[in-house]
């Protein structure tokens, strides 16, 4: 892998990480650009985007864990009902960040959250790559 490939994947990683935090933004356009313009990097882009986006989601989970626990609001009760499985939807715009934060507030098992989050985010990027090929 040459340095331009690393720079491309590094930019994608930064975009994917920031998109999964509470900051506004999306990484799909950057991912699509890499897949279309550099198809030989498609698998590396899929792994990079999934990993970085999951890391961003887990940072939001961690921020949620720092929030003192209070009584459950109706919105937290929904996440508590489904547990870490709800994080398969952590890629969905507008609700994904809230799901990650709620999982942290509820002190859900971090490894289960990581696994479901990675699955959902990875499937989203895989579907996008498939649609572009």
């Amino acid at each position: 892998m040459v340095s331009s490939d690393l720079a491309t994947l590094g930019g994608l990683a930064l975009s994917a990480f920031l998109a999964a935090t509470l900051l506004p933004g999306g990484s799909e356009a950057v991912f699509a650009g890499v897949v279309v313009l550099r198809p030989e990097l498609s698998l590396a882009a899929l792994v990079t985007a999934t990993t970085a986006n999951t890391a961003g989601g887990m940072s939001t989970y961690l921020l949620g864990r720092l929030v003192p626990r209070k009584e459950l609001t109706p919105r937290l009760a929904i996440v508590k009902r489904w547990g870490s499985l709800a994080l398969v939807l952590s890629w969905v715009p507008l609700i994904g960040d809230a799901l990650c934060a709620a999982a942290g507030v509820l002190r859900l098992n971090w490894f289960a959250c990581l696994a479901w989050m990675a699955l959902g985010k990875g499937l989203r990027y895989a579907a996008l790559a498939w649609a572009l090929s």
Side-chain angles (χ1 to χ4, degrees), residues 16-24 52-67 87 90 94-107 113 117 121:
F17 180 85
L18 293 175
T21 65
L22 297 174
L23 298 172
N53 204 246
T54 301
M58 288 304 289
S59 72
T60 301
Y61 168 90
L62 180 60
L63 288 174
R65 283 196 68 112
L66 297 175
V67 172
L87 293 180
S90 64
L94 302 178
I95 68 164
D97 294 336
L99 290 173
C100 295
V105 168
L106 292 169
R107 309 317 194 249
C113 290
M117 193 185 303
K121 291 172 180 290

Side-chain angles (χ1 to χ4, degrees), residues 71-83 86 94-95 98-103 105-106 108:
E71 67 181 69
L72 292 181
T73 65
R75 291 181 187 151
L76 283 176
I78 292 169
V79 176
K80 185 172 184 177
R81 176 179 175 215
W82 289 98
L94 302 178
I95 68 164
L99 290 173
C100 295
V105 168
L106 292 169
L108 298 180

